Amino acid sequence: MRSRLIAMIGSCASVALAGCGSGNSETPGEEVATDEAPAFPAELVRVGDGYPESGDPCVLVGESEATVDFLDDSADLVACPTRDDAAVLGGRNVGVIDSYHLVSVPRSSPMGEAVPVEMLVKEAVAPKLGDPIRSPSGMETRCLARVNELTGGNVIGSRRIEEAESGVMIYVNVQGAEAPWQCFGSKDGTISEVYYGGNEGAL
């Protein structure tokens, strides 16, 4: 009887030790949540390391095939990893690429505080006075006036200006137009063509 009792105690101890031998308390297949931002899209050109301040989750993006239709000379194009990050900027949502939200943010100081007009004039106009393309009476100004006349006063502003050996192309945003209007001319500021860049049947 005594030997049988000792055998039972030994068997129970073995079972208890076996239960304690495993120090792994993780549930098989359990995933650990992370707060990492999604990978930055290869289609976008990153400019800097944060917007509006260095280290911020959003980032300024440059021109590429994916962003060419969203660029505006009067606004910054910014990519944000979440909709909430984009909403903080107070701009206009223009699209989503690989889960990154694209926002067009009117050029201003951080957090939406407007830059004084005197500063804009000093920084933007002064260096352009002798430029036949961008000066106050240059090709860009005359292009905007021509397009404004052709579209009944619906011009929003220049989208971008491209200069090449063959000449200068100015793209103009027009309210309600599916594509920009375009002015083509020479580097001396002469305009030779003004036309709609999209399907004329959509006008």
Side-chain angles (χ1 to χ4, degrees):
M1 182 71 177
R2 177 181 176 83
S3 59
R4 184 177 179 184
L5 179 60
I6 292 174
M8 291 178 63
I9 293 174
S11 176
C12 291
S14 298
V15 173
L17 288 173
C20 296
S22 174
N24 183 9
S25 59
E26 294 182 1
T27 303
E30 182 179 359
E31 296 183 359
V32 179
T34 64
D35 295 327
E36 293 183 2
F40 195 76
E43 301 97 316
L44 300 180
V45 177
R46 178 191 292 267
V47 180
D49 60 353
Y51 183 95
E53 300 290 344
S54 176
D56 286 345
C58 299
V59 63
L60 185 68
V61 294
E63 183 173 347
S64 66
E65 291 186 5
T67 63
V68 66
D69 292 332
F70 305 132
L71 296 174
D72 188 328
D73 284 347
S74 63
D76 291 329
L77 186 62
V78 183
C80 298
T82 70
R83 185 183 298 274
D84 289 340
D85 291 330
V88 172
L89 299 178
R92 178 171 59 89
N93 293 328
V94 295
V96 178
I97 295 181
D98 289 350
S99 79
Y100 267 77
H101 298 261
L102 296 181
V103 188
S104 180
V105 183
R107 292 216 171 97
S108 60
S109 60
M111 305 311 293
E113 181 182 350
V115 175
V117 174
E118 313 86 66
M119 188 180 298
L120 291 176
V121 172
K122 182 178 180 180
E123 294 180 354
V125 176
K128 300 177 183 178
L129 293 178
D131 188 342
I133 309 300
R134 301 170 178 80
S135 64
S137 59
M139 180 180 174
E140 181 183 14
T141 299
R142 288 182 281 109
C143 170
L144 292 172
R146 292 272 295 275
V147 175
N148 202 46
E149 181 181 352
L150 291 171
T151 60
N154 291 323
V155 164
I156 298 174
S158 300
R159 172 176 289 191
R160 70 182 185 279
I161 299 175
E162 293 181 352
E163 298 184 51
E165 289 297 327
S166 58
V168 179
M169 183 74 78
I170 300 177
Y171 296 82
V172 180
N173 288 332
V174 175
Q175 184 176 2
E178 295 180 354
W181 280 70
Q182 300 173 25
C183 297
F184 180 77
S186 59
K187 291 186 177 181
D188 65 3
T190 302
I191 297 176
S192 57
E193 295 181 78
V194 179
Y195 55 91
Y196 177 56
N199 183 358
E200 293 186 359
L203 288 175

